[in-house]
Amino acid sequence: MEILAQLFWTLLASGRDVLPIAMVLFGFQFLVIRRPLPHLRNIIIGFVYVVLGLTFFLVGLEQALFPMGELMAKQLTDPVFIHGAEANSMVENVRWHDYYWVYLFAAAVGFAATIAEPSLIAVAIKANQVSGGVAGIWGLRIAVAIGVAFGVSLGTFRIVTGTPLHYYIAAGYIIVIIQTIRASQSNNRAIIPLAYDSGGVTTSTVTVPLVTALGLGLATTISGRSPLLDGFGLIAFASLFPMITVMGYAQFGDWLRKRRHKKGESQ
Amino acid sequence: MTRSKTQKELLRFLGLVTGSVRDLAPIVIVVAFFQLVVLQQPIPNLAGILLGLVFVLIGLTLFIQGLELALFPIGEAMADALAHKGSLFWLLAFAFALGFGTTAAEPALIAVVAEAAKVAAAAGVVEASPAAQANYAFYLRGTVAFSVGAALVLGVFRILKGWPIQYLIIGGYLAVVVLTFFAPANIVGIAYDSGGVTTSTITVPLVTALGVGLATTIRGRNPMIDGFGLIAFASLSPMIFVMLFGMLWSGLS
């Protein structure tokens, strides 16, 4: 019964989220464009699917994944799990390599949550359509997922070691800039906008709650970290590194093609 | 005849469900592995979790279905209609309204600004009273919503002009790095995260379809090179605006 009530409330909330979007769309349609919308019936059915789909998706995540994921984040960052039974509730002198399970968990959850992220699926479908099938749906999704995995894992390492956030971010941007320059001078130009977009789409419904729980768990159990200041920032890592891996994916493919080409010539 | 049609529908639907199963398998495996092998705990409330997974499966399948039926076509149809109307003003007004409207109502953003108000109160930038915090959260939310609207305006303008995206985005990132050194420490983490929370599951497909639709309609634009990139603008500009907001707020108070 409880789950039905939850379904109902989430349905109202999703409806409320869609409302401003529907208002903008239909407002412009009727006031500015003033032409009947083609396939109006399909679009309305589609919107119902979107609202219902998001509702079931969120209620299901809330029921199945988030409580366990959050509990696991708490248990994995618990000093007792990391340092054994005699540990205090606050860890003083952290050794970064004691936290290997945390880094592994961060990477695994980052990867797996990104694969399940609906907005990334949407962008991958569109890129595949636009490129006429050249940009594979799975290639893009896996490249992005690897980026998120690396980003979140590095982000937990940053919280454990307490190094400043902006060093990492600045270093990441420099890599992005170098890759962009290289891509814009080659025939990989088309990957640049897609790579930039994939930074923004990674962090929505599935990834954010799981990753935030991990950050908060670490920041509250390590002495000298503040959950308010250090708990933030993981999301930024998760949106920076996919840009690097997506451009890297295209550049790697290029390199493979060139190598094969060279081999073919030499034979 | 009709029978084979329904059979086809059914097969297609089964294909979609199989796709969703594949999308969800990794996260289920990761959580189960860490729970059972690393932490060595039993899985609590197994029946409830299985029911939840069925819900997630139904939800993802319906969403993907709705994506193709509604979000992609309407985004492209509007881009097409506004481009043919030939009014730059209405096209940019639409881009702004879409960005502002979807972001202002975004639940993830509401949660982040509430958290940010707490951080600001702890840092002494805002009075600790709930009213002062709510006030701060309201203005911060407005700033982020405005920044996403402005970002889409700039992004759409770029598509019209065919400017290469990298100069704008790299310029933006340089601005982020420079601002980081001047912005108050309590706002930096929030600013970085606010870029990630603005682009929700419904906004992303719509905005992507808008960009691709515009680049397809306008002659001389390549949908692959010019069509993508709107999301990048929408996740970059909040970082800049939130840091500016933090500097202004602490400067004024």
Side-chain angles (χ1 to χ4, degrees), chain A residues 71-94:
Chain A
L71 193 69
M72 282 161 68
K74 222 180 265 163
Q75 287 173 329
L76 283 169
T77 53
D78 189 350
V80 174
F81 173 77
I82 290 162
H83 302 280
E86 70 278 4
N88 294 323
S89 61
M90 243 345 181
V91 186
E92 289 291 339
N93 303 309
V94 283

Side-chain angles (χ1 to χ4, degrees), chain A residues 3 7 14 16-18 20-21 24-26 28-29 32-33 35 37-39 42-47 49-50 52-65 68-69 71-72 75-76 81 101 104-106 108-109 111-113 115-123 125-131 135 138 141 165-167 169-170 173 176-177 180-181 184 189-194 196-201 203-206 208 210 216 228-229 231-237 239-240 243, chain B residues 19 22-24 26-28 30-35 38-39 41 43-45 48-53 55-60 62-78 80-82 84-85 90 93-95 97-98 101-102 105-107 110 112 115-116 118-119 122 158 165-166 169-170 173-174 176-177 180-181 185-186 188-190 192-193 195-197 199-206 208-209 212 222-233 235-236 239:
Chain A
I3 197 162
L7 213 50
S14 316
R16 199 193 51 203
D17 297 346
V18 173
I21 298 173
V24 169
L25 290 177
F26 290 106
F28 269 82
Q29 188 65 43
V32 179
I33 297 175
R35 266 198 321 193
L37 205 57
H39 313 297
N42 270 355
I43 286 178
I44 291 172
I45 295 174
F47 259 100
Y49 278 171
V50 165
L52 275 180
L54 271 185
T55 304
F56 273 97
F57 193 67
L58 290 176
V59 171
L61 286 176
E62 206 61 64
Q63 172 85 14
L65 274 181
M68 218 156 87
L71 193 69
M72 282 161 68
Q75 287 173 329
L76 283 169
F81 173 77
W101 276 123
L104 263 179
F105 179 72
V109 151
F111 184 91
I115 292 293
E117 201 67 79
S119 45
L120 178 61
I121 301 179
V123 170
I125 291 176
K126 199 84 241 175
N128 186 48
Q129 285 170 1
V130 167
S131 70
W138 278 95
R141 285 172 69 190
L165 174 67
H166 51 268
Y167 289 177
I169 300 285
Y173 286 160
V176 169
I177 291 173
T180 305
I181 295 171
S184 63
R189 222 150 46 90
I191 198 74
I192 298 173
L194 194 60
Y196 288 168
D197 269 2
S198 52
V201 297
T203 46
S204 42
T205 17
V206 197
V208 172
L210 289 173
L216 286 178
L228 286 179
L229 289 179
F232 287 104
L234 275 181
I235 310 291
F237 277 77
S239 24
L240 172 60
M243 295 197 255
Chain B
R22 213 175 33 203
D23 295 337
L24 292 168
I27 189 79
V28 172
V30 165
V31 169
F33 173 79
F34 273 85
Q35 183 77 356
V38 180
L39 292 165
Q41 309 267 337
I43 290 180
N45 183 22
I49 285 182
L50 287 180
L51 180 68
L53 282 178
F55 274 29
V56 175
L57 203 69
I58 297 173
L60 191 60
L62 282 175
F63 178 80
I64 303 281
Q65 186 85 307
L67 201 68
E68 306 264 12
L69 271 178
L71 295 182
F72 282 161
I74 200 173
E76 276 167 22
M78 305 263 330
D80 191 65
L82 283 166
H84 277 119
K85 196 177 162 64
W90 281 119
F94 175 69
L98 192 64
T102 54
E106 171 64 38
I110 295 172
V112 165
E115 201 62 29
K118 269 188 227 153
V119 178
R158 173 194 85 87
I165 190 172
Q166 53 265 36
I169 295 288
I170 288 178
Y173 280 134
L174 288 179
V176 169
V177 172
T180 304
F181 291 99
N186 63 71
V188 172
I190 296 152
Y192 283 180
D193 276 0
V197 297
T199 39
S200 77
T201 314
I202 304 172
T203 320
V204 166
L206 263 178
T208 305
V212 168
N222 175 337
M224 198 66 200
I225 291 176
D226 303 301
F228 288 94
L230 285 177
I231 309 287
F233 283 100
S235 25
L236 173 62
M239 295 200 245

Side-chain angles (χ1 to χ4, degrees), chain B residues 145-156:
Chain B
F146 178 83
S147 72
V148 175
L152 290 191
V153 168
L154 181 66
V156 164

Side-chain angles (χ1 to χ4, degrees), chain B residues 79-176:
Chain B
D80 191 65
L82 283 166
H84 277 119
K85 196 177 162 64
S87 158
L88 181 66
F89 171 78
W90 281 119
L91 181 59
L92 296 182
F94 175 69
F96 185 84
L98 192 64
F100 187 91
T102 54
T103 308
E106 171 64 38
L109 178 65
I110 295 172
V112 165
V113 293
E115 201 62 29
K118 269 188 227 153
V119 178
V125 191
V126 179
E127 280 175 53
S129 74
Q133 284 189 28
N135 185 38
Y136 179 86
F138 176 80
Y139 280 108
L140 185 57
R141 206 170 118 203
T143 306
V144 175
F146 178 83
S147 72
V148 175
L152 290 191
V153 168
L154 181 66
V156 164
F157 200 68
R158 173 194 85 87
I159 296 176
L160 298 181
K161 292 282 170 197
W163 292 337
I165 190 172
Q166 53 265 36
Y167 300 117
L168 290 165
I169 295 288
I170 288 178
Y173 280 134
L174 288 179
V176 169

